[in-house]
Amino acid sequence: MWTFGREALRAPSPIAPVRPPKRGWQPELWASRVPLRQTHNLGEVFRALWENRDNLDYAWRILEQGTCDGCALGTRGMHDWTMENIHLCNIRLRLLRLNTMPAIDVRALEDVEKLRPLRSRDLRALGRLPYPLIRRRGERGFRRISWDEALATIADRIKQTEPNRTYFYMTSRGEPNENYYTFQKMVRAIGTNNVDNAARVCHSPSTFALKSALGVAATTCSYRDLIGTDLIIFFGSNIANNQPVAMKYLFYAKKAGTKVAVVNPYREPAMDIYYVPSDPESALFGTKMTDRFFQIKPGGDIPFLLGVAKHMLAHDGIQIAEHGWTKNADGDWVDLRFVEEHTVGFEEFARQVAAMPWEMLERESGASRDEMAALAEMIGQARTGVFIWGMGITQHVCGEDNVHAIINLALLKGFVGRKGCGLMPIRGHSGVQGGAEMGAYATVFPGGLPINAENAQKFSALWGFPVPDRPGLTMPEMLDAALEGKIDVLFSVGGSFNEVMPDPEMVVRALENIPLRVHFDIVLAPQMLFEPNETVILLPAATRYEMPGGVTETSTERRVILSPEIPGPRIGEARPEWEVYMELARRVRPEWADRLTFADTAAIREEIARAIPAYAEIRNLRQPGASFQYGGELLCAGWKFPTPDGKAHFKALAVAAHASEVGDAFIVVTRRGKQFNSIVHEDVDPINELPRDAVLINPDDLARLGLSEGAAVELVNEHGAFRGRAFAAPVLQGTLQIYWPEGNVLVDPTSRSPLAKIPAYKEVVARLQPASGQTGSRSEGVRAEAVLNP
């Protein structure tokens, strides 16, 4: 049993950390001796109270009893399995209103022209979708229809076309495993593998690399491995914005003596100093979170990490000969026993590293040889360590190889399969880990099995109907096909493609070229308002807290958790998604109706247990907050790797020279602010106090170009133009940062990673020039109040 101060509550005891945090306050970790230098996290509590004041009882029950529908850290009410403290963050508080708000007045949808000027957040603020609605070409807006008419219209159109001319997409806004599983089953019953979800657009490069190198496709450790491990390194990840509860783990890791390093192009202020609102010490004085920050060029991860490995090998005197390798020094920065007994590919990897000239590694990484040596020393001296990465690593053309570069470093130390060690592709949504594993992908079946004839036969036998055996289209490929007139039906669950995909204008053209678009969501989104080619149908969805029988989510640490139905108000005719998927499947394939029916969510979990062996225990989840961690606390425990040869695999990597070949242009990276995925909450980022149209630029570049702070500028490339204001920030010369999704106008829609095929959001080149007139700030636009009373 271990607790963290006075606020510790009597939740079931977690398993002990690697090292327990020191008791009492530690002024040496404080960011300031002056209390309350930052209060915006505390302010979120009062904001949530005010925003949900019309439904506070229901809001409280959701927080107290539900599994969080925010990021993928996972909760049991307001507790978790890592610490005994209250487990709550500002993301969950911000998302709470989506579950408690009343229905929209559907008269507001009778004329979409009044809605077009609204921002996404103002469309959401209008309220929940209460009924099915339809709009046909030439009509000004939507009108109410019955569920029967809506599903009959959709089913008839699907039956009139070829299955591979239909497409199905699912976002991750709090989506449970049961919805993902039934969604992909519906799609396969219709006769296509054209299905995709948000999980693939974020971390599918991680899945490919981990599966190839280790034989597993998920985080290898548990959150408790963070607290008291010797070293945590964040690569291209800003958990302070995207998974803020993890900052509490980091706070207690610091109190346990853990060293923290960050490798990133931008020195994220909140990764440096953070105020944990639910801990009195940190809330008052802040906490110095990062011991060492390593600033690299955007896209410079591979050369930087190869340089770190080069130092580690040199320190231990490891030299590559013509036939093998030798060690001629006493260093212990590399665990050679692990490498020899449990890995393959080391010699090829080490040979390639030795051949890399320092000048090239420094030029392409943007970091000095001494900086690489400093990180090598931190890793070399650590006995245990956890490496964590986010989309700053995956959303590159070389996303898969970026992940391999991190895995290579971990393998040099044996930082996998033992306590306090692990590789963690941290997830941003509560639904994405499960979404990836339920098979809602164009390229894999449930359990991550590749789409081929053998696996198609397996699921044909399980489900009782023929399953297609050829991979389908990914979402970017679907947009290409739609532009060419090759998609007749789009069934989109949540999301707004024009906000999250490159080249928004192209996305609008693609969507408006699809004869039938179906949007199944809990609130309005911009893509619903695009002109119908023939027909647009809106379907109202229930939230996870409204589903009888409860549903499950899978967290980043592979914990599958039951979230119960929460008693409270219900909205109009909103329905659980899984019920609708199965009814639509039965209408399209009535001959298989008995095989496309579930009595309840427990029956879905029973089938998931049969379809995915790792999820066998899901059938036993019955009580609120009940959970299991598939694969146990550690994957690859005891250095047993489920690869064909039972070994972990190093991968030799090449270094692309594109990072240094941009001429007088800038390398541009998209980043997040006060938002949850594409849901923007504030016009000003409270962390750095910059507006959404900010262009973050090195102070020397600002001076060189003769620009003043806040000057109007324009970023231009062959894909589009971004208008904003320039602000000096801690980024390298020749690089810029802008906010996403606004920056999507500059992203090359054809630039994708080779295996996962995700857009290279972090890999943009553009010219910077002064601009006149007003900027295209997201703070402009009509507010929701203009149409609340149509």
Side-chain angles (χ1 to χ4, degrees):
M1 173 77 69
W2 52 293
T3 61
F4 300 126
R6 296 179 181 175
E7 90 217 45
L9 300 180
R10 291 297 158 197
S13 300
I15 296 174
V18 182
R19 282 193 306 268
K22 293 180 181 178
R23 294 182 178 275
W25 288 14
Q26 295 175 254
E28 65 272 20
L29 297 178
W30 294 358
S32 172
R33 298 277 176 164
V34 179
L36 296 175
R37 293 287 295 270
Q38 188 257 75
T39 59
H40 74 261
N41 279 334
L42 291 172
E44 289 291 338
V45 176
F46 298 100
R47 187 187 190 284
L49 287 170
W50 176 256
E51 192 174 54
N52 295 279
R53 63 191 181 279
D54 60 345
N55 216 344
L56 276 177
D57 288 348
Y58 185 44
W60 174 250
R61 288 194 296 273
I62 288 173
L63 293 177
E64 186 182 34
Q65 302 170 28
T67 298
C68 177
D69 57 350
C71 76
L73 294 183
T75 66
R76 173 177 45 205
M78 289 190 288
H79 300 277
D80 69 1
W81 295 264
T82 305
M83 59 179 63
E84 293 182 347
N85 312 73
I86 289 175
H87 185 101
L88 187 62
C89 74
N90 58 48
I91 284 180
R92 191 177 185 191
L93 292 173
R94 284 282 179 147
L95 294 177
L96 190 58
R97 187 56 177 165
L98 289 176
N99 299 290
T100 67
M101 66 171 56
I104 188 175
D105 185 336
V106 293
R107 292 176 298 168
L109 281 78
E110 292 175 355
D111 187 351
V112 298
E113 290 305 316
K114 294 181 179 179
L115 299 174
R116 290 191 196 280
L118 295 181
R119 306 168 301 176
S120 291
R121 79 182 73 160
D122 293 315
L123 289 174
R124 292 191 297 271
L126 291 173
R128 294 272 302 275
L129 288 171
Y131 312 112
L133 301 158
I134 192 170
R135 181 188 178 203
R136 298 190 185 277
R137 183 169 55 193
E139 296 177 345
R140 294 183 61 84
F142 292 88
R143 60 179 175 83
R144 180 179 175 179
I145 57 174
S146 68
W147 271 103
D148 182 69
E149 181 182 351
L151 292 178
T153 301
I154 299 166
D156 288 347
R157 191 64 178 85
I158 290 174
K159 288 190 286 187
Q160 291 168 15
T161 191
E162 294 293 323
N164 285 332
R165 292 180 65 89
T166 63
Y167 200 84
F168 302 83
Y169 178 83
M170 196 169 182
T171 190
S172 51
R173 47 132 178 85
E175 291 287 3
N177 293 322
E178 291 79 359
N179 283 356
Y180 280 111
Y181 182 82
T182 52
F183 188 65
Q184 62 81 32
K185 185 176 181 180
M186 169 189 72
V187 174
R188 268 100 197 198
I190 287 170
T192 182
N193 285 314
N194 283 348
V195 57
D196 204 356
N197 76 75
R200 197 192 56 76
V201 181
C202 300
H203 265 301
S204 48
S206 302
T207 299
F208 277 104
L210 286 167
K211 189 73 174 176
S212 172
L214 307 180
V216 299
T219 290
T220 67
C221 59
S222 303
Y223 301 140
R224 65 181 67 93
D225 288 297
L226 301 175
I227 301 173
T229 187
D230 289 345
L231 177 66
I232 299 173
I233 306 179
F234 293 94
F235 301 91
S237 172
N238 179 14
I239 62 169
N241 271 10
N242 302 321
Q243 299 95 1
V245 165
M247 295 302 286
K248 194 166 188 177
Y249 300 159
L250 205 59
F251 170 63
Y252 289 118
K254 294 291 295 180
K255 289 179 75 72
T258 298
K259 296 293 184 183
V260 177
V262 174
V263 180
N264 205 47
Y266 175 53
R267 191 181 183 102
E268 293 284 355
M271 291 300 293
D272 196 10
I273 294 173
Y274 194 79
Y275 294 75
V276 178
S278 58
D279 183 275
E281 180 184 11
S282 186
L284 285 171
F285 300 105
T287 306
K288 293 180 287 189
M289 294 293 187
T290 299
D291 294 281
R292 188 70 185 261
F293 187 90
F294 298 92
Q295 192 166 31
I296 63 171
K297 278 184 182 179
D301 303 276
I302 291 175
F304 180 74
L305 297 180
L306 288 175
V308 173
K310 190 176 178 78
H311 275 297
M312 294 174 68
L313 295 172
H315 178 272
D316 284 11
I318 298 173
Q319 295 183 338
I320 304 300
E322 184 177 352
H323 302 291
W325 53 273
T326 61
K327 184 181 190 306
N328 56 19
D330 294 331
D332 59 355
W333 284 9
V334 177
D335 187 338
L336 285 176
R337 180 179 177 185
F338 167 78
V339 169
E340 288 182 298
E341 296 180 3
H342 299 283
T343 74
V344 296
F346 171 72
E347 184 177 331
E348 181 184 0
F349 163 75
R351 188 183 306 278
Q352 176 247 24
V353 169
M356 295 283 179
W358 283 113
E359 180 183 6
M360 183 270 288
L361 294 176
E362 289 181 311
R363 182 183 68 246
E364 297 303 326
S365 69
S368 70
R369 180 174 175 176
D370 288 343
E371 287 287 281
M372 299 175 197
L375 184 57
E377 183 176 5
M378 293 183 77
I379 297 172
Q381 293 181 351
R383 296 167 301 167
T384 57
V386 178
F387 294 172
I388 301 173
W389 67 93
M391 288 176 288
I393 289 292
T394 59
Q395 292 182 335
H396 290 265
V397 169
C398 56
E400 293 89 348
D401 281 350
N402 282 346
V403 178
H404 274 291
I406 296 172
I407 296 171
N408 285 341
L409 273 188
L411 294 182
L412 288 178
K413 294 290 294 183
F415 279 175
V416 63
R418 55 192 179 94
K419 193 173 181 64
C421 298
L423 291 156
M424 181 179 290
I426 195 164
R427 298 285 192 168
H429 276 286
S430 62
V432 287
Q433 187 68 44
E437 293 160 351
M438 294 300 106
Y441 271 11
T443 53
V444 299
F445 288 128
L449 296 178
I451 292 177
N452 55 37
E454 178 185 356
N455 291 327
Q457 183 56 44
K458 170 185 174 179
F459 286 99
S460 297
L462 175 67
W463 292 333
F465 54 80
V467 173
D469 61 5
R470 297 180 62 185
L473 300 176
T474 64
M475 198 250 283
E477 292 171 330
M478 180 278 292
L479 293 173
D480 295 340
L483 281 172
E484 298 173 6
K486 297 179 180 178
I487 301 296
D488 294 329
V489 178
L490 170 65
F491 194 108
S492 177
V493 182
S496 199
F497 294 166
N498 64 301
E499 289 192 320
V500 300
M501 295 301 294
D503 196 345
E505 292 183 1
M506 177 274 290
V507 172
V508 174
R509 294 196 305 273
L511 295 183
E512 290 184 344
N513 206 35
I514 299 173
L516 172 63
R517 299 199 322 267
V518 181
H519 301 289
F520 197 178
D521 210 336
I522 61 175
V523 290
L524 283 177
Q527 67 178 6
M528 299 175 180
L529 307 180
F530 300 157
E531 289 300 309
N533 179 285
E534 292 180 9
T535 305
V536 176
I537 292 176
L538 310 185
L539 301 178
T543 71
R544 70 164 56 177
Y545 306 117
E546 297 169 351
M547 296 194 192
V551 289
T552 60
E553 75 158 72
T554 306
S555 74
T556 289
E557 69 169 1
R558 298 170 282 102
R559 186 174 298 279
V560 186
I561 312 157
L562 182 72
S563 184
E565 180 184 10
I566 309 296
R570 296 296 182 259
I571 299 296
E573 296 176 3
R575 292 181 61 183
E577 291 169 31
W578 70 267
E579 290 183 359
V580 176
Y581 303 152
M582 290 295 92
E583 182 175 344
L584 179 59
R586 293 193 296 271
R587 286 173 180 257
V588 176
R589 300 291 188 185
E591 66 274 25
W592 302 329
D594 61 325
R595 292 156 245 182
L596 297 168
T597 299
F598 291 105
D600 50 28
T601 57
I604 302 172
R605 292 191 286 276
E606 179 63 38
E607 185 169 298
I608 291 172
R610 297 198 303 273
I612 309 173
Y615 274 72
E617 292 184 55
I618 197 172
R619 56 164 60 97
N620 300 322
L621 299 183
R622 298 184 179 89
Q623 299 302 315
S627 76
F628 69 94
Q629 192 176 16
Y630 77 77
E633 295 178 52
L634 297 169
L635 297 182
C636 310
W639 291 337
K640 293 179 172 59
F641 298 97
T643 53
D645 58 8
K647 305 280 189 177
H649 289 241
F650 282 91
K651 182 178 181 182
L653 302 169
V655 175
H658 66 274
S660 62
E661 296 179 349
V662 298
D664 60 355
F666 283 81
I667 304 172
V668 185
V669 173
T670 59
R671 67 180 304 275
R672 309 291 176 92
K674 183 66 174 178
Q675 63 192 98
F676 182 63
N677 195 31
S678 62
I679 300 177
V680 176
H681 293 308
E682 296 289 345
D683 293 320
V684 175
D685 185 343
I687 300 297
N688 59 18
E689 300 181 339
L690 293 178
R692 295 292 304 185
D693 66 346
V695 177
L696 282 63
I697 184 172
N698 182 278
D700 291 336
D701 284 332
L702 193 69
R704 176 176 58 83
L705 296 172
L707 297 171
S708 59
E709 187 84 355
V713 295
E714 189 173 33
L715 286 171
V716 180
N717 64 13
E718 62 270 35
H719 309 294
F722 175 89
R723 293 172 62 85
R725 289 172 283 173
F727 294 91
V731 298
L732 291 179
Q733 284 187 266
T735 72
L736 304 171
Q737 299 250 336
I738 58 178
Y739 285 100
W740 180 91
E742 294 90 339
N744 279 343
V745 292
L746 300 174
V747 179
D748 182 353
T750 65
S751 184
R752 302 165 189 168
S753 65
L755 298 178
K757 301 178 182 178
I758 67 170
Y761 293 103
K762 312 297 185 184
E763 203 166 308
V764 173
V765 175
R767 299 182 306 280
L768 178 68
Q769 59 195 36
S772 59
Q774 297 296 314
T775 64
S777 168
R778 200 177 182 104
S779 62
E780 298 171 359
V782 180
R783 303 288 176 171
E785 290 81 357
V787 293
L788 279 173
N789 298 299

